[in-house]
Amino acid sequence: MCMKWLIVSSDMTNQNLLSVEDFLDEKDASYKEIFINSETTKLDFLKYIKDITESTHCIILDSCVLYNLPNYAILLGILLGKKIKTFICTAQKYEREYEKASLEGQTFFRCFEELKSLLQYVRNNYELFAIASKQYESFSILFKRGIPFNGDCFAQHIAKDDTEVCDLFLSAGMISNATTEDGVPMICIATRNDCFEKVKWLVDNGADINAVSKDRGYTAVMDAVWRKNYPITEYLIKKGADLSVISSDGQSILVLAVGNGNPKIVKILLENGADPDVKDGMGMSARGYANLFKRKELMELMELFPPKEN
């Protein structure tokens, strides 16, 4: 969504109007203009209501001229009520400081005595304004759809591989490293549901591939091994997944792999440095389980990686 700017002036001949138009045109921004003066009737003003309420940001060019007009007070009230960020140029030094203080005392109003400083401030913060507008729009869409903005709901849509809603969550301010109420990272949720595209999407958006879930003590790559999902396992290994993490019940990733009996996954883990001789809480290693269960193919793979000398 592009921001919707509103320019307010006392007349069309204001010498600052062209400078603001040029700036917004340079940014390829959408904007509307309204003009308020002593001749503006209430009926005239009502015609502006839609443009005012639909704006996301407002630049007022000459508040020193507008300040005592009844319609200007109404305008400020609407802008404040709608929480529209407003940048006010007085076009001259305030003769009455209390007027300036009354405006700057409002969170969404910022005053400038000259247009140059106003435009410089807006230019310096333009990208932040755009991000905030997108964030607000996405949050509003989720709200209108009745979708709660929390980690558990985000996880539900990741599990459904719902890209549209997941994008809305992210642009509304949810972080890729968010967890469920139970402490399960989103990348683990995606992996547990075999959602390869969402795993990649989360990584592309900055998710920590080595985040550990609080329920099992698994990382995403451990979840992938548990699910016997070779493509996700391979992808996470290539992305630098830590293969030395021990789960909350004391199992190494190779113990998980041997338990699932998937030679292809055991092989890629061994080839990428997973230690077959790390013992679990029972004092058994992946190599030991392969021998215990008489998994010939796994035993042969282990033989290619002899125990390290102490």
Side-chain angles (χ1 to χ4, degrees), residues 5 16 19-20 22-24 26-27 59 61 87-89 110-129:
W5 288 82
N16 287 328
S19 297
V20 176
D22 287 345
F23 169 75
L24 293 177
E26 172 195 327
K27 294 293 185 181
I59 294 176
L61 292 180
F87 310 98
I88 302 171
C89 180
R110 192 176 185 96
C111 295
F112 302 85
E113 291 180 1
E114 57 180 20
L115 184 66
K116 181 180 178 181
S117 56
L118 184 156
L119 290 180
Q120 188 60 51
Y121 177 82
V122 173
R123 184 183 299 278
N124 291 344
N125 292 278
Y126 194 84
E127 294 305 317
L128 292 177
F129 297 152

Side-chain angles (χ1 to χ4, degrees), residues 62-309:
D62 44 9
S63 71
C64 59
V65 177
L66 301 171
Y67 196 84
N68 291 315
L69 299 178
N71 286 325
Y72 183 56
I74 297 172
L75 169 69
L76 294 178
I78 296 173
L79 293 172
L80 184 60
K82 297 290 290 185
K83 299 181 179 180
I84 297 167
K85 280 193 173 297
T86 302
F87 310 98
I88 302 171
C89 180
T90 64
Q92 65 182 47
K93 183 174 176 59
Y94 269 102
E95 295 180 359
R96 291 170 293 184
E97 284 298 320
Y98 74 85
E99 292 180 356
K100 180 180 180 182
S102 68
L103 290 172
E104 290 192 327
Q106 307 299 332
T107 305
F108 297 93
F109 295 164
R110 192 176 185 96
C111 295
F112 302 85
E113 291 180 1
E114 57 180 20
L115 184 66
K116 181 180 178 181
S117 56
L118 184 156
L119 290 180
Q120 188 60 51
Y121 177 82
V122 173
R123 184 183 299 278
N124 291 344
N125 292 278
Y126 194 84
E127 294 305 317
L128 292 177
F129 297 152
I131 291 170
S133 289
K134 181 63 179 176
Q135 202 170 52
Y136 179 77
E137 180 197 33
S138 297
F139 185 87
S140 297
I141 293 172
L142 290 171
F143 180 78
K144 288 176 183 177
R145 293 188 185 181
I147 301 173
F149 186 72
N150 57 52
D152 283 357
C153 196
F154 187 30
Q156 290 172 17
H157 289 277
I158 284 177
K160 294 176 184 177
D161 203 11
D162 189 337
T163 300
E164 181 199 1
V165 173
C166 288
D167 281 338
L168 285 172
F169 267 97
L170 211 60
S171 60
M174 185 68 69
I175 59 173
S176 58
N177 284 319
T179 65
T180 65
E181 188 175 348
D182 294 331
V184 182
M186 294 303 136
I187 195 166
C188 291
I189 294 293
T191 303
R192 293 178 188 185
N193 288 276
D194 299 315
C195 296
F196 193 5
E197 291 305 312
K198 280 297 160 289
V199 171
K200 291 189 288 186
W201 177 82
L202 285 162
V203 171
D204 289 344
N205 282 286
D208 178 7
I209 62 172
N210 293 314
V212 178
S213 65
K214 289 186 178 180
D215 57 350
R216 302 172 184 166
Y218 285 11
T219 59
V221 72
M222 295 173 81
D223 278 314
V225 169
W226 175 69
R227 292 288 301 169
K228 301 182 184 180
N229 192 314
Y230 182 83
I232 294 181
T233 301
E234 180 184 42
Y235 170 78
L236 291 171
I237 288 174
K238 287 181 178 179
K239 287 293 182 178
D242 184 354
L243 304 182
S244 66
V245 177
I246 303 299
S247 70
S248 55
D249 59 2
Q251 292 183 315
S252 70
I253 193 168
L254 262 175
V255 167
L256 290 174
V258 170
N260 279 337
N262 188 310
K264 191 176 179 182
I265 288 179
V266 169
K267 183 174 184 292
I268 194 174
L269 291 173
L270 287 166
E271 290 173 343
N272 284 276
D275 190 342
D277 297 302
V278 174
K279 290 181 172 56
D280 64 11
M282 302 291 290
M284 289 286 285
S285 66
R287 191 189 305 276
Y289 281 118
N291 291 326
L292 178 65
F293 300 143
K294 301 187 182 337
R295 310 296 282 270
K296 183 178 179 181
E297 190 172 1
L298 300 185
M299 291 166 60
E300 290 174 350
L301 283 171
M302 300 286 182
E303 289 174 2
L304 299 174
F305 298 86
K308 298 175 183 177
E309 294 182 7

